[in-house]
């Protein structure tokens, strides 16, 4: 994370940012966020990110009436300049700073905004993927919501890393492929591109949406067996871009070039 952050429109040192301990955000992780790729100091797919923030806020009951796309985008651009960011990523977080009704009788509602930036995530050349034992609950009210309660994803990722992998495929309660721990999933089979349908509980990723708009791809509900015969596998997100998988559970995959790898802006 870079040195400066923005809290409710005020740029300050990152060490000065905090969340009130009595808030619903601190006690229960009540908040939403999005990670935006920054290319040549410009936020990528801003409109898609803002639309999803609005949808996710409605899903968890966070009031964004005092926050507008133009003003938030201006705050983001100001922070990009302050941190001299050229290529990297930014996280926009709306959190419920209201006192928890379980612990307080203060009924005043308050939504706060924080923005921070960072460099691009360093990625290994030989990206190794496995399968997670942590299921995605497609019936959860948080399914498809990028909420601040991300502990399940982190635990699944940590488990994969402890086993010598970089990421893991997660399936839902019906055994359908849903996503990776921190990314959307695509695979190629006999020249055709596939990705899990949103009904599996996967996140409606902005990079995922951009790919579907630009390449022929079928959204499917299928079991893990489909990955056993995949010729190529890709992970996508604003944080990592498009990553081609070199190994899936010990099986070496083809690393032939695919148009999917050329969709996003170059960083050099």
């Amino acid at each position: 994370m870079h040195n400066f952050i923005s809290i409710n429109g005020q740029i300050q040192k990152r060490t000065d940012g905090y969340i009130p301990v009595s808030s619903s955000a601190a006690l229960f992780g009540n908040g939403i966020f999005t990670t935006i790729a920054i290319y040549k100091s410009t936020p990528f797919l801003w409109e898609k990110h803002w639309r999803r923030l609005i949808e996710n806020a409605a899903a968890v009951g966070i009031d964004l009436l005092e926050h507008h796309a133009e003003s938030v985008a201006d705050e983001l651009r100001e922070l990009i300049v302050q941190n001299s960011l050229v290529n990297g990523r930014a996280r926009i977080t709306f959190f419920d700073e209201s006192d928890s009704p379980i612990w307080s009788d203060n009924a005043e509602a308050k939504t706060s905004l924080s923005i921070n930036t960072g460099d691009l995530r360093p990625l290994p050349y030989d990206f190794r993927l496995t399968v997670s034992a942590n299921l995605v609950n497609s019936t959860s009210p948080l399914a498809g919501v990028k909420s601040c309660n991300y502990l399940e994803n982190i635990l699944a990722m940590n488990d994969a890393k402890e086993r010598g992998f970089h990421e893991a495929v997660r399936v839902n309660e019906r055994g359908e492929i849903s996503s990776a721990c921190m990314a959307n999933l695509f695979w190629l089979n006999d020249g055709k591109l596939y990705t899990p349908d949103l009904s599996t509980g996967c996140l409606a990723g902005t990079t995922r949406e951009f790919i579907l708009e630009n390449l022929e791809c079928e959204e499917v509900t299928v079991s893990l067996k489909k990955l056993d015969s995949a010729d190529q596998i890709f992970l996508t997100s604003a944080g990592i871009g498009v990553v081609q998988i070199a190994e899936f559970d010990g099986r070496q995959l083809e690393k032939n070039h695919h148009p999917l790898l050329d969709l996003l802006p170059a960083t050099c």
Side-chain angles (χ1 to χ4, degrees):
M1 186 185 296
H2 294 149
N3 191 40
F4 293 101
I5 62 173
S6 177
I7 301 289
N8 295 322
Q10 300 297 314
I11 291 182
Q12 56 190 262
K13 290 184 177 180
R14 67 179 185 182
T15 52
D16 295 335
Y18 72 95
I19 297 176
V21 295
S22 61
S23 68
S24 291
L27 292 172
F28 310 118
N30 191 12
I32 57 170
F33 76 98
T34 192
T35 301
I36 302 179
I38 308 297
Y39 298 118
K40 297 181 179 178
S41 301
T42 302
F44 186 59
L45 303 178
W46 166 252
E47 292 80 8
K48 295 183 187 300
H49 283 280
W50 182 256
R51 186 184 70 241
R52 189 177 65 188
L53 283 167
I54 294 294
E55 294 170 352
N56 286 182
V60 300
I62 289 181
D63 185 359
L64 295 188
L65 288 178
E66 295 184 2
H67 299 275
H68 306 283
E70 295 80 8
S71 61
V72 176
D74 286 343
E75 292 174 30
L76 172 57
R77 284 190 286 266
E78 184 179 356
L79 186 63
I80 288 172
V81 172
Q82 182 69 46
N83 283 324
S84 302
L85 177 59
V86 178
N87 296 312
R89 53 199 162 122
R91 170 169 162 149
I92 294 179
T93 306
F94 287 103
F95 56 92
D96 186 357
E97 200 174 317
S98 312
D99 283 351
S100 164
I102 296 175
W103 291 96
S104 172
D105 56 4
N106 181 7
E108 181 182 3
K110 182 178 181 182
T111 300
S112 289
L113 164 66
S114 71
I115 307 176
N116 58 269
T117 64
D119 296 330
L120 294 169
R121 282 174 57 186
L123 298 170
Y125 175 76
D126 292 319
F127 204 102
R128 297 186 300 277
L129 185 68
T130 187
V131 177
S132 174
N134 298 46
L135 301 181
V136 172
N137 180 5
S138 69
T139 69
S140 167
L142 291 180
V145 174
K146 199 159 188 176
S147 80
C148 292
N149 192 338
Y150 234 53
L151 189 56
E152 282 192 5
N153 304 68
I154 297 298
L155 290 175
M157 176 74 94
N158 289 346
D159 175 71
K161 290 183 176 180
E162 288 172 1
R163 293 190 283 129
F165 296 91
H166 300 108
E167 249 279 19
V169 177
R170 299 180 68 195
V171 300
N172 64 19
E173 74 282 0
R174 297 184 296 273
E176 299 163 343
I177 303 169
S178 179
S179 65
C181 305
M182 308 286 284
N184 286 113
L185 183 74
F186 289 80
W187 66 92
L188 199 67
N189 200 322
D190 293 331
K192 188 170 182 178
L193 192 63
Y194 299 90
T195 194
D197 189 82
L198 294 180
S199 65
T200 63
C202 74
L203 182 75
T206 55
T207 306
R208 174 188 184 276
E209 181 180 345
F210 182 70
I211 291 168
L212 292 177
E213 291 172 348
N214 287 276
L215 291 177
E216 184 176 343
C217 178
E218 184 177 350
E219 299 174 81
V220 293
T221 53
V222 295
S223 71
L224 270 173
K225 290 182 179 180
K226 290 296 183 180
L227 288 186
D228 291 338
S229 58
D231 300 316
Q232 294 173 264
I233 300 175
F234 307 90
L235 299 186
T236 68
S237 76
I240 64 174
V242 178
V243 173
Q244 187 169 8
I245 302 303
E247 176 188 315
F248 176 52
D249 260 351
R251 180 170 69 91
Q252 300 298 313
L253 297 173
E254 296 178 7
K255 294 206 74 174
N256 298 327
H257 195 79
H258 187 272
L260 182 59
L261 299 167
D262 299 325
L263 278 183
L264 302 186
T267 58
C268 59

